[in-house]
Amino acid sequence: MVRPIRPCVAGFRGHVRAGAAILAALLAFAAHCLLVPDPAAAQTNTSLLHFPPRPPLPKPKSPAPSDAPMLLQATEIRYDYTNNTVSAVGNVQIYYNGSTVEADEVIYDQKTKRLQARGNVRMTEPDGKITYGQFIDLSDDYRDGFVDSLRLETADDTRFAAARADRVKGNYTVMQNGVYTACEPCKDDPKKPPLWQIEAARIIHDSGEKMIYFEDARVEFFGVPLMYFPFMSQPDPSVTRKSGFLFPNITYGTAYGAGVEIPYFWALAPNYDLSTSLMVTSKEGELFQGVWRQRLMDGSYSIKVAGIFQQDPGYFAGRDGVNSPTANLFRGAVQTAGQFAITDKWLWGWTGLLITDTQFLYDYTLGQFLASFDPFHTGVATEGVSQVYLTGVGDRSYFDIRSIYYYGFSGQDIQAQIPIIHPVLDYSNVLAQPVAGGELSYKFNLTSLTRQQAEFDAITQNAAVNDLCAPGNVNITKANCLLRGMPGTFSRASGEVDWRRTFVTDTGQMITPFFVARGDAAQLDLLNQPGVSNFINPNESEVGRAMPAVGVEYRYPFVDVEPWGTQTIEPIAQVILRPNETQIGKFPNEDAHSVVFSDSNLFSIDKFSGWDRVEGGGRVNAGIDYTAQVNKAGYFNVLFGQSYQLYGLNSYSATDLTNTGLESGLDKSVSDYVGRIMYQPNQVFSFTARGRFSSGGFDPGLGENVAAFTPERLEFETRANFDRWTLQFMYGDYAAQPEIGFLNRREELLTGASVKLTQNWVLLGSVRYDLVAHEFDQTRFGIGYTDDCLLVSLNFITSYTYTGTTPTPNDTVMLQFSLRTLGPNELKPISAQF
C-alpha cells in the first residue's frame, strides 16, 4: 500500500532515523570514496566535465551533533508498507549533519537497506565538495555502491567525471572512463575541452592507502592527447606529503650544455624528508643533488649536497687555466644550516659550506645553494658563510655572538687573505626607566679575527697595471697601496654609553642635548710579512683610546596648513664637541672601510661604518628638511645639508691603513653638499634621487679643481606599478676615488619591467648596463603563462664568471612547467615531531 503525503517539510527521528543514517552514509560515500587524488585523474568524454555554474560556497560550519534530525523537503512523500520503502518525490532536498542531497526522487528500501537517489542528483558536503550524478545506489554501511554519470567538484576546484563509479569492500572506488582536471570550465563554452585534462580507462582510489591509480591514461592539452602512460599513481588530496617524482626541470648553461633534472621526494616521516635529483647534462655528465630536512621539537636543520664527475674538464681548463680547481674531474659542495630555540627569547644556529672551488655553484646554476648567501635577491652572491651563533632578543635589548668563516666566490679572492672571525659579539640595551629625565642606552662590541696573509689594494694606475701590490712585492708602499687586511690576529673590545633628552618649547622648538662616551682597547699579534711594516708597527701589541662627546640637536618645524594640503619646513642643526681621535693608523681597520656621506647619515654623531674608527674633533651638521602633503597630488620631501669641522683634527682627512675617509666629501673643513628628493604621488609611482655634490676646490680623484655642486655621487631610483605594468629604474654615478682603491669612475644603469600581456601571459626583463665600459654585465628575460591550473615559464639569464681579470659570460636558459595538483615542483613543509 502506497500512502502519499503532499508538500512536506519534516524532521524525522523515529523509524525513519535509519534512513537518516543511510543518507549520512551516502554523503560520506562522496567524501571518502569519490574524492580523488590531489594530482591526477582522467578524461575521455569532454562533455562529462561540463559542470553547471557553481554558487559561492558558504564558510564551513561546525559539525552538527550526531543526533541532529534529518530535515527533508519534497513535493510529496510516499510510504509503501507492502515493499517497506519510503520515497521522497519531486524537488527533493535532504539536509543532514551539514550536508545536502538534491534529486528528483530518493528511495530508501528497508528490506535491502539500500538508498537510491535518481534524476539530477546533487550532493553538497560541509567542506564544499559537490557530487553530481543521474543515479546513486548505496548500501547502508556504505561499503558497496555505485553512481551513474558521476561528476565531482572538490573545494579546491578540481573536477572528476566518470561514466560510472563503483565502491567495493569499503576501501576501493573504481571510476570507469574517468576524467580529471584542475582547470575551470570555459565560461563562454563550458563544453569546450579544458586547457589540460587526464583521461583514463579506470581510476582507482584506495582510501586505506590514500592513493589514486590510473590505468591506460592520456594527458591532453586543448583536447589533443600529448602524453600516454599505461599506468600512473598519485596521492589523494588528503595527503600533504607523499614520496614520488616531482616535475622535471629543463635548463641550458654555457658551461654544461643542455640539462634535464628529475627530482624525487622521499616523505620518510612527518618531521623529516629527503629530496634527490639527477641532472643529466649534454657536456659534463650527471650532476647529483640531495637535500635532507628534519624538524625537531625546538627547531630544524637541513643538509644539501651536490657533486659531479666532469666528462669534459678541458672546457674549464681552457677558461680558467689547467691548474684551476674548476678543471678537476670531481667538483662538489656540501651545505648545512640549522636553527633551534632555547627559550622564547634565545636561539642558536649555524650555517656551513664545504666546496671544491669558487665557481662550482655558478657554473652549474645551483640556485638552492646560492640563495642562502643572497638575502637581498640581487642574483649575485659574493661569498659563502660558515658560522655558529647565539642570539637573544629582549623587549629593549639585543645580544648576538657568532664565529664566522667566509669563503670567497670570486676567482680573484685569495682565501688566505679573508679573515676568520672568532668571535664577534654585539650587545645593546635601552634602560626602561628614564635617567635624568632622558633615555640612557649602552652597547658593547667584541671582535677577534685572524688572517693568514696580508691583503693590499692598489691606489694608482701604475700599481694596478704592474701588480705592485701583490703579496711579497718589494714595491708595497703607502704611495702605491692600501693595507686592506693585516696578517695575524687582532682582538678589540669597545663600549659606548649614550644619553639624550628632548625638550619641546611652547613654540614647538625641539632641543635635544646628548652625551656619548666610548672606549676601545685592542690587542695585536701581527705577522711581519713583506710590506706590512710600511703601514703599521708589527711589534705593537696593545693599543687603546677613549672618546667622550657632548652636543645638542636643534629642530624647529614650521607647519603650514592650506586648502591644497600641508607643508612642513624644518631647519635642523647639530653641534658636537669632543677631543681629537687618537691612535689613528695604530688600530687595524677591519670593519670601517667605507664612509658613504649621504642624506642618511648627515645627522649621525659618528659617520664611520664600524667600530675600528671613531669620529673626533668639533663638528656642526646642518640642513633643512621640507615635506609637503598635497591633496590628490601625493607626498613630496626634500633634504639638503652640509657638515662643518669646527676645530681639531678632521678624522676623515687623517690617513689610516685603508685611507678611510679620504675623498668621502667629509675630508675638508667644509664638507660636500648632500641631499635627496622624494616624490610619491600615489601608491602607483615613487621617485627618489639622492646625491653628494662638491663644495668646490681641488679633487684628488681628478687631479684638478672642480666647481661647486659638481656631482660626486648620484643615485636615481623610480618605481611604478600601474595597470598591467611594473617598472623599475635605477641609476648610479660614482666619481673615481683612487685614494681608497676605486681607480675609475663607476656609472651603471639597472632597469627592469614586467607587463601582463593578457590576464594569463606575463613578459619580464631586466638589464644592467655599464655606462663606462659600454657593455651589459647582467641580463634576464622571461615569459610566463599562469592560470588556475597551469604554470609555464621560460627565462634567459646572462651572468658572469670572475675567475680572472676578464669576466666570462655564462648564458643560462631555464624552462619551468607545472600542472596544478600534479606534483608541485617544490618541497612541502615538514611538521615538528613531539
Side-chain angles (χ1 to χ4, degrees), residues 47-66:
S47 64
L48 291 176
L49 290 176
H50 176 203
F51 287 82
R54 177 176 180 175
L57 294 175
K59 294 182 178 180
K61 299 179 180 179
S62 56
S66 57

Side-chain angles (χ1 to χ4, degrees), residues 95 295 330 385 434 531 555 576 649 654 694 713 758 813:
Y95 305 90
R295 182 177 294 278
F330 175 78
V385 180
R555 295 172 179 259
I576 307 167
L649 176 66
S694 175
R713 184 183 185 93
T758 67
V813 179

Side-chain angles (χ1 to χ4, degrees), residues 474-522:
V474 295
N475 295 304
I476 297 177
T477 65
K478 286 187 176 181
N480 293 322
C481 311
L482 299 175
L483 178 56
R484 188 71 70 185
M486 47 142 229
T489 299
F490 164 57
S491 300
R492 175 191 42 75
S494 302
E496 182 177 287
V497 177
D498 184 298
W499 176 89
R500 61 189 59 225
R501 180 179 179 182
T502 299
F503 298 90
V504 181
T505 69
D506 294 339
T507 58
Q509 302 174 74
M510 302 172 64
I511 304 171
T512 304
F514 56 83
F515 169 77
V516 180
R518 173 176 157 181
D520 306 274

